[in-house]
Amino acid sequence: MPKNTVTREINKTANAVIDAQCSECKRSTKHLVLASVNIDGENWFGENSVQYWAEYQVIMCQGCEITGFRSSSRNSEDWDFIDLENVEYNETLNLYPARDGRSPLKDVYLLPGNVQRIYEETIKAINNNQPVLVGIGLRAIVETVCKDKSSPGANLVQRIDGLVSQGSLSPEGAKILHKIRTLGNDAAHEVKPHSEDQLGVALDVCEHLLQDVYVLPQHAARAFT
């Protein structure tokens, strides 16, 4: 039986200029390829084989000079028929950081380190279409804020209500956070994905919480000292 084969070529496309969506410019711009790895391979299964081609690139926007990562891949099993003599292999393209989606709060650096970390991980999850992880992340944001503010209570239900007694949260806000808590429980314990609209609204609420508890007080302290 033929052996599986793989070849790698370093910097085959280095210094090339390509079009790519820029996460900072929010549009397609010219990017310089700083480094690249091209992989060609063939895996055999009995008398049949599957060929695959992949390219990994570190790219830099020629406008804002922000760097990112681009990968593209194709394989001989995923193609569209063109005519009797030609097929077109479908390409899977990924850019990191994610180019489309939600941006973190402008003043995210004002959040405590542990709150900022779980918040930014939740943003990445929603931008990468990982609804179960988003649900878990939303609950973790609420729980981390309660812990950071030393909200009293033996469980998250009581701690959310504790934010109200502290004056950090309104009663109406607490009702919404309880819904987010339930949403997170479903994601964590039942692996239940929620809709994009539900997760988007829930993240809006969490961001308002972060603004009210951390961001606005710091701006106010600076403005009125």
PDB file of all heavy atoms in Angstrom, residues 79-103:
ATOM      1  N   TRP A  79     -15.285  19.556  -3.357  1.00  0.00           N
ATOM      2  CA  TRP A  79     -15.156  20.278  -4.605  1.00  0.00           C
ATOM      3  C   TRP A  79     -16.516  20.513  -5.256  1.00  0.00           C
ATOM      4  O   TRP A  79     -17.509  19.874  -4.912  1.00  0.00           O
ATOM      5  CB  TRP A  79     -14.243  19.528  -5.585  1.00  0.00           C
ATOM      6  CG  TRP A  79     -14.576  18.076  -5.769  1.00  0.00           C
ATOM      7  CD1 TRP A  79     -14.069  17.025  -5.075  1.00  0.00           C
ATOM      8  CD2 TRP A  79     -15.516  17.521  -6.704  1.00  0.00           C
ATOM      9  NE1 TRP A  79     -14.619  15.845  -5.501  1.00  0.00           N
ATOM     10  CE2 TRP A  79     -15.512  16.121  -6.514  1.00  0.00           C
ATOM     11  CE3 TRP A  79     -16.346  18.058  -7.678  1.00  0.00           C
ATOM     12  CZ2 TRP A  79     -16.306  15.257  -7.263  1.00  0.00           C
ATOM     13  CZ3 TRP A  79     -17.143  17.210  -8.436  1.00  0.00           C
ATOM     14  CH2 TRP A  79     -17.121  15.819  -8.226  1.00  0.00           C
ATOM     15  N   ASP A  80     -16.543  21.480  -6.169  1.00  0.00           N
ATOM     16  CA  ASP A  80     -17.725  21.777  -6.969  1.00  0.00           C
ATOM     17  C   ASP A  80     -17.442  21.453  -8.434  1.00  0.00           C
ATOM     18  O   ASP A  80     -16.333  21.714  -8.944  1.00  0.00           O
ATOM     19  CB  ASP A  80     -18.107  23.264  -6.854  1.00  0.00           C
ATOM     20  CG  ASP A  80     -18.631  23.615  -5.462  1.00  0.00           C
ATOM     21  OD1 ASP A  80     -19.260  22.733  -4.851  1.00  0.00           O
ATOM     22  OD2 ASP A  80     -18.396  24.755  -5.015  1.00  0.00           O
ATOM     23  N   PHE A  81     -18.432  20.891  -9.095  1.00  0.00           N
ATOM     24  CA  PHE A  81     -18.303  20.513 -10.509  1.00  0.00           C
ATOM     25  C   PHE A  81     -18.353  21.766 -11.382  1.00  0.00           C
ATOM     26  O   PHE A  81     -19.255  22.593 -11.253  1.00  0.00           O
ATOM     27  CB  PHE A  81     -19.435  19.551 -10.880  1.00  0.00           C
ATOM     28  CG  PHE A  81     -19.448  19.150 -12.316  1.00  0.00           C
ATOM     29  CD1 PHE A  81     -18.603  18.155 -12.786  1.00  0.00           C
ATOM     30  CD2 PHE A  81     -20.301  19.777 -13.226  1.00  0.00           C
ATOM     31  CE1 PHE A  81     -18.614  17.789 -14.118  1.00  0.00           C
ATOM     32  CE2 PHE A  81     -20.322  19.408 -14.555  1.00  0.00           C
ATOM     33  CZ  PHE A  81     -19.471  18.412 -15.007  1.00  0.00           C
ATOM     34  N   ILE A  82     -17.384  21.913 -12.266  1.00  0.00           N
ATOM     35  CA  ILE A  82     -17.365  23.036 -13.205  1.00  0.00           C
ATOM     36  C   ILE A  82     -17.825  22.572 -14.583  1.00  0.00           C
ATOM     37  O   ILE A  82     -18.792  23.074 -15.140  1.00  0.00           O
ATOM     38  CB  ILE A  82     -15.954  23.667 -13.304  1.00  0.00           C
ATOM     39  CG1 ILE A  82     -15.474  24.097 -11.906  1.00  0.00           C
ATOM     40  CG2 ILE A  82     -15.967  24.853 -14.261  1.00  0.00           C
ATOM     41  CD1 ILE A  82     -16.354  25.113 -11.222  1.00  0.00           C
ATOM     42  N   ASP A  83     -17.094  21.585 -15.123  1.00  0.00           N
ATOM     43  CA  ASP A  83     -17.499  20.967 -16.376  1.00  0.00           C
ATOM     44  C   ASP A  83     -16.912  19.555 -16.398  1.00  0.00           C
ATOM     45  O   ASP A  83     -16.377  19.087 -15.377  1.00  0.00           O
ATOM     46  CB  ASP A  83     -17.063  21.796 -17.601  1.00  0.00           C
ATOM     47  CG  ASP A  83     -15.573  22.108 -17.609  1.00  0.00           C
ATOM     48  OD1 ASP A  83     -14.773  21.198 -17.277  1.00  0.00           O
ATOM     49  OD2 ASP A  83     -15.191  23.244 -17.931  1.00  0.00           O
ATOM     50  N   LEU A  84     -16.994  18.856 -17.524  1.00  0.00           N
ATOM     51  CA  LEU A  84     -16.549  17.466 -17.590  1.00  0.00           C
ATOM     52  C   LEU A  84     -15.062  17.310 -17.312  1.00  0.00           C
ATOM     53  O   LEU A  84     -14.599  16.225 -16.941  1.00  0.00           O
ATOM     54  CB  LEU A  84     -16.886  16.877 -18.959  1.00  0.00           C
ATOM     55  CG  LEU A  84     -18.387  16.707 -19.248  1.00  0.00           C
ATOM     56  CD1 LEU A  84     -18.595  16.193 -20.673  1.00  0.00           C
ATOM     57  CD2 LEU A  84     -19.018  15.756 -18.233  1.00  0.00           C
ATOM     58  N   GLU A  85     -14.300  18.376 -17.472  1.00  0.00           N
ATOM     59  CA  GLU A  85     -12.858  18.273 -17.291  1.00  0.00           C
ATOM     60  C   GLU A  85     -12.325  19.034 -16.082  1.00  0.00           C
ATOM     61  O   GLU A  85     -11.148  18.912 -15.752  1.00  0.00           O
ATOM     62  CB  GLU A  85     -12.141  18.776 -18.554  1.00  0.00           C
ATOM     63  CG  GLU A  85     -12.439  17.942 -19.794  1.00  0.00           C
ATOM     64  CD  GLU A  85     -11.676  18.439 -21.011  1.00  0.00           C
ATOM     65  OE1 GLU A  85     -11.018  19.505 -20.898  1.00  0.00           O
ATOM     66  OE2 GLU A  85     -11.735  17.764 -22.063  1.00  0.00           O
ATOM     67  N   ASN A  86     -13.186  19.802 -15.426  1.00  0.00           N
ATOM     68  CA  ASN A  86     -12.681  20.659 -14.358  1.00  0.00           C
ATOM     69  C   ASN A  86     -13.586  20.635 -13.123  1.00  0.00           C
ATOM     70  O   ASN A  86     -14.815  20.573 -13.244  1.00  0.00           O
ATOM     71  CB  ASN A  86     -12.569  22.114 -14.843  1.00  0.00           C
ATOM     72  CG  ASN A  86     -11.562  22.269 -15.967  1.00  0.00           C
ATOM     73  OD1 ASN A  86     -10.366  22.203 -15.748  1.00  0.00           O
ATOM     74  ND2 ASN A  86     -12.065  22.481 -17.187  1.00  0.00           N
ATOM     75  N   VAL A  87     -12.948  20.671 -11.960  1.00  0.00           N
ATOM     76  CA  VAL A  87     -13.653  20.858 -10.695  1.00  0.00           C
ATOM     77  C   VAL A  87     -12.944  21.981  -9.939  1.00  0.00           C
ATOM     78  O   VAL A  87     -11.788  22.306 -10.208  1.00  0.00           O
ATOM     79  CB  VAL A  87     -13.659  19.574  -9.839  1.00  0.00           C
ATOM     80  CG1 VAL A  87     -14.388  18.452 -10.554  1.00  0.00           C
ATOM     81  CG2 VAL A  87     -12.243  19.164  -9.450  1.00  0.00           C
ATOM     82  N   GLU A  88     -13.651  22.577  -8.993  1.00  0.00           N
ATOM     83  CA  GLU A  88     -13.073  23.647  -8.184  1.00  0.00           C
ATOM     84  C   GLU A  88     -13.082  23.209  -6.725  1.00  0.00           C
ATOM     85  O   GLU A  88     -14.139  22.907  -6.165  1.00  0.00           O
ATOM     86  CB  GLU A  88     -13.875  24.937  -8.346  1.00  0.00           C
ATOM     87  CG  GLU A  88     -13.328  26.106  -7.538  1.00  0.00           C
ATOM     88  CD  GLU A  88     -14.081  27.386  -7.806  1.00  0.00           C
ATOM     89  OE1 GLU A  88     -14.342  27.687  -8.995  1.00  0.00           O
ATOM     90  OE2 GLU A  88     -14.428  28.076  -6.832  1.00  0.00           O
ATOM     91  N   TYR A  89     -11.901  23.131  -6.118  1.00  0.00           N
ATOM     92  CA  TYR A  89     -11.792  22.720  -4.730  1.00  0.00           C
ATOM     93  C   TYR A  89     -12.233  23.869  -3.815  1.00  0.00           C
ATOM     94  O   TYR A  89     -11.793  25.014  -3.982  1.00  0.00           O
ATOM     95  CB  TYR A  89     -10.359  22.300  -4.392  1.00  0.00           C
ATOM     96  CG  TYR A  89      -9.909  21.079  -5.147  1.00  0.00           C
ATOM     97  CD1 TYR A  89      -8.949  21.165  -6.158  1.00  0.00           C
ATOM     98  CD2 TYR A  89     -10.458  19.837  -4.864  1.00  0.00           C
ATOM     99  CE1 TYR A  89      -8.547  20.045  -6.852  1.00  0.00           C
ATOM    100  CE2 TYR A  89     -10.059  18.702  -5.558  1.00  0.00           C
ATOM    101  CZ  TYR A  89      -9.113  18.822  -6.556  1.00  0.00           C
ATOM    102  OH  TYR A  89      -8.719  17.704  -7.256  1.00  0.00           O
ATOM    103  N   ASN A  90     -13.111  23.568  -2.870  1.00  0.00           N
ATOM    104  CA  ASN A  90     -13.601  24.586  -1.944  1.00  0.00           C
ATOM    105  C   ASN A  90     -12.547  24.911  -0.901  1.00  0.00           C
ATOM    106  O   ASN A  90     -11.870  24.024  -0.381  1.00  0.00           O
ATOM    107  CB  ASN A  90     -14.885  24.105  -1.259  1.00  0.00           C
ATOM    108  CG  ASN A  90     -16.030  23.965  -2.242  1.00  0.00           C
ATOM    109  OD1 ASN A  90     -16.229  24.831  -3.092  1.00  0.00           O
ATOM    110  ND2 ASN A  90     -16.778  22.874  -2.145  1.00  0.00           N
ATOM    111  N   GLU A  91     -12.413  26.184  -0.608  1.00  0.00           N
ATOM    112  CA  GLU A  91     -11.400  26.656   0.344  1.00  0.00           C
ATOM    113  C   GLU A  91     -12.048  27.016   1.677  1.00  0.00           C
ATOM    114  O   GLU A  91     -13.086  27.682   1.714  1.00  0.00           O
ATOM    115  CB  GLU A  91     -10.681  27.881  -0.219  1.00  0.00           C
ATOM    116  CG  GLU A  91      -9.607  28.448   0.704  1.00  0.00           C
ATOM    117  CD  GLU A  91      -8.981  29.714   0.157  1.00  0.00           C
ATOM    118  OE1 GLU A  91      -9.705  30.515  -0.459  1.00  0.00           O
ATOM    119  OE2 GLU A  91      -7.776  29.910   0.353  1.00  0.00           O
ATOM    120  N   THR A  92     -11.432  26.573   2.761  1.00  0.00           N
ATOM    121  CA  THR A  92     -11.828  26.994   4.097  1.00  0.00           C
ATOM    122  C   THR A  92     -10.829  28.037   4.572  1.00  0.00           C
ATOM    123  O   THR A  92      -9.632  27.766   4.676  1.00  0.00           O
ATOM    124  CB  THR A  92     -11.839  25.811   5.082  1.00  0.00           C
ATOM    125  OG1 THR A  92     -12.805  24.842   4.636  1.00  0.00           O
ATOM    126  CG2 THR A  92     -12.225  26.267   6.479  1.00  0.00           C
ATOM    127  N   LEU A  93     -11.321  29.243   4.833  1.00  0.00           N
ATOM    128  CA  LEU A  93     -10.452  30.366   5.182  1.00  0.00           C
ATOM    129  C   LEU A  93     -10.766  30.838   6.599  1.00  0.00           C
ATOM    130  O   LEU A  93     -11.927  31.032   6.951  1.00  0.00           O
ATOM    131  CB  LEU A  93     -10.663  31.518   4.195  1.00  0.00           C
ATOM    132  CG  LEU A  93      -9.849  32.798   4.420  1.00  0.00           C
ATOM    133  CD1 LEU A  93      -8.360  32.526   4.261  1.00  0.00           C
ATOM    134  CD2 LEU A  93     -10.307  33.886   3.459  1.00  0.00           C
ATOM    135  N   ASN A  94      -9.725  31.018   7.402  1.00  0.00           N
ATOM    136  CA  ASN A  94      -9.890  31.519   8.766  1.00  0.00           C
ATOM    137  C   ASN A  94      -8.914  32.658   9.029  1.00  0.00           C
ATOM    138  O   ASN A  94      -7.766  32.622   8.565  1.00  0.00           O
ATOM    139  CB  ASN A  94      -9.642  30.407   9.794  1.00  0.00           C
ATOM    140  CG  ASN A  94     -10.735  29.361   9.781  1.00  0.00           C
ATOM    141  OD1 ASN A  94     -11.878  29.637  10.093  1.00  0.00           O
ATOM    142  ND2 ASN A  94     -10.369  28.141   9.399  1.00  0.00           N
ATOM    143  N   LEU A  95      -9.401  33.665   9.739  1.00  0.00           N
ATOM    144  CA  LEU A  95      -8.572  34.798  10.139  1.00  0.00           C
ATOM    145  C   LEU A  95      -8.661  34.947  11.653  1.00  0.00           C
ATOM    146  O   LEU A  95      -9.728  34.779  12.250  1.00  0.00           O
ATOM    147  CB  LEU A  95      -9.052  36.092   9.470  1.00  0.00           C
ATOM    148  CG  LEU A  95      -8.927  36.165   7.944  1.00  0.00           C
ATOM    149  CD1 LEU A  95      -9.683  37.364   7.408  1.00  0.00           C
ATOM    150  CD2 LEU A  95      -7.458  36.248   7.538  1.00  0.00           C
ATOM    151  N   TYR A  96      -7.522  35.211  12.279  1.00  0.00           N
ATOM    152  CA  TYR A  96      -7.499  35.429  13.719  1.00  0.00           C
ATOM    153  C   TYR A  96      -6.718  36.703  14.040  1.00  0.00           C
ATOM    154  O   TYR A  96      -5.632  36.891  13.490  1.00  0.00           O
ATOM    155  CB  TYR A  96      -6.841  34.246  14.446  1.00  0.00           C
ATOM    156  CG  TYR A  96      -6.865  34.415  15.935  1.00  0.00           C
ATOM    157  CD1 TYR A  96      -7.989  34.053  16.674  1.00  0.00           C
ATOM    158  CD2 TYR A  96      -5.784  34.982  16.598  1.00  0.00           C
ATOM    159  CE1 TYR A  96      -8.024  34.243  18.046  1.00  0.00           C
ATOM    160  CE2 TYR A  96      -5.815  35.177  17.973  1.00  0.00           C
ATOM    161  CZ  TYR A  96      -6.935  34.804  18.677  1.00  0.00           C
ATOM    162  OH  TYR A  96      -6.969  34.999  20.042  1.00  0.00           O
ATOM    163  N   PRO A  97      -7.248  37.605  14.866  1.00  0.00           N
ATOM    164  CA  PRO A  97      -8.541  37.540  15.537  1.00  0.00           C
ATOM    165  C   PRO A  97      -9.699  37.558  14.541  1.00  0.00           C
ATOM    166  O   PRO A  97      -9.534  38.005  13.406  1.00  0.00           O
ATOM    167  CB  PRO A  97      -8.550  38.802  16.414  1.00  0.00           C
ATOM    168  CG  PRO A  97      -7.130  39.257  16.484  1.00  0.00           C
ATOM    169  CD  PRO A  97      -6.502  38.825  15.195  1.00  0.00           C
ATOM    170  N   ALA A  98     -10.889  37.088  14.989  1.00  0.00           N
ATOM    171  CA  ALA A  98     -12.062  37.040  14.128  1.00  0.00           C
ATOM    172  C   ALA A  98     -12.357  38.434  13.584  1.00  0.00           C
ATOM    173  O   ALA A  98     -12.332  39.423  14.315  1.00  0.00           O
ATOM    174  CB  ALA A  98     -13.259  36.506  14.898  1.00  0.00           C
ATOM    175  N   ARG A  99     -12.622  38.518  12.280  1.00  0.00           N
ATOM    176  CA  ARG A  99     -12.799  39.811  11.630  1.00  0.00           C
ATOM    177  C   ARG A  99     -14.220  40.361  11.743  1.00  0.00           C
ATOM    178  O   ARG A  99     -14.427  41.550  11.784  1.00  0.00           O
ATOM    179  CB  ARG A  99     -12.423  39.716  10.148  1.00  0.00           C
ATOM    180  CG  ARG A  99     -10.968  39.367   9.870  1.00  0.00           C
ATOM    181  CD  ARG A  99     -10.005  40.172  10.721  1.00  0.00           C
ATOM    182  NE  ARG A  99      -8.677  40.184  10.187  1.00  0.00           N
ATOM    183  CZ  ARG A  99      -7.605  39.734  10.801  1.00  0.00           C
ATOM    184  NH1 ARG A  99      -7.708  39.206  12.000  1.00  0.00           N
ATOM    185  NH2 ARG A  99      -6.422  39.806  10.250  1.00  0.00           N
ATOM    186  N   ASP A 100     -15.181  39.474  11.761  1.00  0.00           N
ATOM    187  CA  ASP A 100     -16.562  39.920  11.863  1.00  0.00           C
ATOM    188  C   ASP A 100     -17.068  39.607  13.259  1.00  0.00           C
ATOM    189  O   ASP A 100     -16.732  38.588  13.844  1.00  0.00           O
ATOM    190  CB  ASP A 100     -17.449  39.216  10.833  1.00  0.00           C
ATOM    191  CG  ASP A 100     -17.056  39.563   9.423  1.00  0.00           C
ATOM    192  OD1 ASP A 100     -16.770  40.743   9.154  1.00  0.00           O
ATOM    193  OD2 ASP A 100     -17.020  38.657   8.590  1.00  0.00           O
ATOM    194  N   GLY A 101     -17.874  40.455  13.792  1.00  0.00           N
ATOM    195  CA  GLY A 101     -18.439  40.158  15.091  1.00  0.00           C
ATOM    196  C   GLY A 101     -18.345  41.321  16.047  1.00  0.00           C
ATOM    197  O   GLY A 101     -18.242  42.481  15.663  1.00  0.00           O
ATOM    198  N   ARG A 102     -18.329  40.997  17.292  1.00  0.00           N
ATOM    199  CA  ARG A 102     -18.472  41.971  18.367  1.00  0.00           C
ATOM    200  C   ARG A 102     -17.112  42.418  18.882  1.00  0.00           C
ATOM    201  O   ARG A 102     -16.216  41.608  19.073  1.00  0.00           O
ATOM    202  CB  ARG A 102     -19.274  41.334  19.484  1.00  0.00           C
ATOM    203  CG  ARG A 102     -19.732  42.283  20.563  1.00  0.00           C
ATOM    204  CD  ARG A 102     -20.944  41.708  21.236  1.00  0.00           C
ATOM    205  NE  ARG A 102     -21.432  42.585  22.270  1.00  0.00           N
ATOM    206  CZ  ARG A 102     -22.706  42.677  22.601  1.00  0.00           C
ATOM    207  NH1 ARG A 102     -23.604  41.941  21.965  1.00  0.00           N
ATOM    208  NH2 ARG A 102     -23.098  43.487  23.553  1.00  0.00           N
ATOM    209  N   SER A 103     -16.985  43.714  19.127  1.00  0.00           N
ATOM    210  CA  SER A 103     -15.756  44.253  19.706  1.00  0.00           C
ATOM    211  C   SER A 103     -15.931  44.410  21.213  1.00  0.00           C
ATOM    212  O   SER A 103     -17.031  44.694  21.690  1.00  0.00           O
ATOM    213  CB  SER A 103     -15.423  45.616  19.086  1.00  0.00           C
ATOM    214  OG  SER A 103     -15.199  45.502  17.698  1.00  0.00           O
TER     215      SER A 103
END
